[in-house]
Amino acid sequence: MASFISLLSTILLLSPLCFTTSLVSASNKVSVSLYYETLCPYCSSFIVNNLANIFQNGLISIIDLHLVPYGNAIVTSDGSIICQHGAGECLLNAIEACAIKVWPDVQQHFPFIQCVEKSVEAREENGWESCFQATGLSSEPVINCYNSGYGQQLELQYGKETNSLQPPHQFVPWVLVNGKTLLEDYENLEHYVCKAYKGALPKVCKGQRLTISQETRANNGDKKNMHKSVFCLLAWVILWL
């Protein structure tokens, strides 16, 4: 009996340490923010072909992912929004903003957003409407959010957040890891996440190597400022290493 009580006391003493370790691990997640617009082909490609990988390989377990569908839109003096790729993009920006609001769990809203961006890549007009059924999510709360004008309000909030970035975003997709921009090297997201994480690295991080794309993925149509030189890109990569 005495040994049982001693064992129980030891468990009770150690249990706070276990809980504390769990909480610290959660707080050490790497912050990843993606500023994008829904009809930008480079944004769609990054979401569908790159960002989706972190869900498939488990890297999402160490990431706090923040999606901001606004991009290079501008707000007029009367409070209306003009999107870079037209009214269709404003619609989808607001739809995705509503999805994020309705389903704040990234494990819920990302599959929907990925599906929408797949339909954009396939150039399927109104293909996004089938994404509710494809993901098993109800369309009603998102459509109500959009029709009520709340989606517009969410977009105005995203606009303020995007326009307050320091340094300002120069193109989309604009990716930040723990507040640092990856510039044109956003396709190496997994490398930077693994490098930034302070806890025990998941298997996917083992053997991660930095690769530099030979092609600048953001074209002039989705940029705000002049093209960055290769020298600047290499200097930024060296800074991260």
Side-chain angles (χ1 to χ4, degrees):
M1 182 68 177
S3 60
F4 173 77
I5 294 175
S6 176
L7 176 61
L8 181 60
S9 299
T10 301
I11 293 173
L12 290 174
L13 285 171
L14 291 177
S15 59
L17 297 177
C18 296
F19 288 121
T20 301
T21 301
S22 177
L23 290 173
V24 169
S25 177
S27 67
N28 280 344
K29 283 189 174 184
V30 178
S31 171
V32 174
S33 298
L34 169 62
Y35 295 83
Y36 70 104
E37 54 197 19
T38 51
L39 293 187
C40 158
Y42 299 96
C43 299
S44 298
S45 177
F46 177 69
I47 290 171
V48 172
N49 301 309
N50 296 93
L51 199 59
N53 287 341
I54 69 174
F55 290 85
Q56 296 166 4
N57 62 26
L59 196 61
I60 187 63
S61 65
I62 64 170
I63 292 175
D64 181 13
L65 181 61
H66 178 51
L67 302 176
V68 184
Y70 180 82
N72 296 330
I74 60 173
V75 180
T76 64
S77 58
D78 65 357
S80 59
I81 300 175
I82 299 176
C83 295
Q84 183 169 0
H85 298 95
E89 182 167 77
C90 283
L91 165 66
L92 287 185
N93 284 352
I95 288 293
E96 292 192 9
C98 284
I100 294 168
K101 185 66 176 181
V102 170
W103 305 301
D105 184 348
V106 70
Q107 296 283 1
Q108 281 191 293
H109 66 245
F110 182 78
F112 175 80
I113 289 173
Q114 181 187 8
C115 178
V116 173
E117 296 307 319
K118 276 186 177 179
S119 73
V120 170
E121 274 202 315
R123 299 184 180 181
E124 297 173 349
E125 187 175 358
N126 298 323
W128 63 272
E129 296 176 359
S130 65
C131 290
F132 295 108
Q133 183 175 0
T135 56
L137 298 170
S138 172
S139 63
E140 185 175 358
V142 173
I143 299 303
N144 287 345
C145 169
Y146 177 80
N147 288 337
S148 69
Y150 190 49
Q152 172 86 354
Q153 296 304 310
L154 292 173
E155 279 299 291
L156 291 173
Q157 293 174 23
Y158 281 152
K160 290 180 180 179
E161 179 181 345
T162 302
N163 293 331
S164 67
L165 286 171
Q166 292 298 330
H169 84 285
Q170 300 168 19
F171 52 82
V172 288
W174 189 252
V175 182
L176 304 181
V177 173
N178 282 348
K180 293 183 179 181
T181 175
L182 301 188
L183 294 176
E184 288 96 339
D185 204 30
Y186 54 83
E187 289 186 338
N188 277 312
L189 172 64
E190 292 184 21
H191 167 84
Y192 292 110
V193 168
C194 292
K195 188 172 180 64
Y197 187 58
K198 303 304 180 184
L201 291 175
K203 288 183 179 180
V204 66
C205 288
K206 296 179 180 179
Q208 271 285 337
R209 293 291 183 270
L210 181 64
T211 58
I212 300 176
S213 174
Q214 296 301 312
E215 178 185 1
T216 300
R217 300 297 297 171
N219 71 349
N220 291 332
D222 293 319
K223 284 195 173 188
K224 293 180 68 181
N225 301 324
M226 294 180 65
H227 176 69
K228 302 291 287 185
S229 68
V230 174
F231 175 80
C232 291
L233 172 59
L234 291 176
W236 197 267
V237 170
I238 292 171
L239 180 63
W240 268 90
L241 293 176

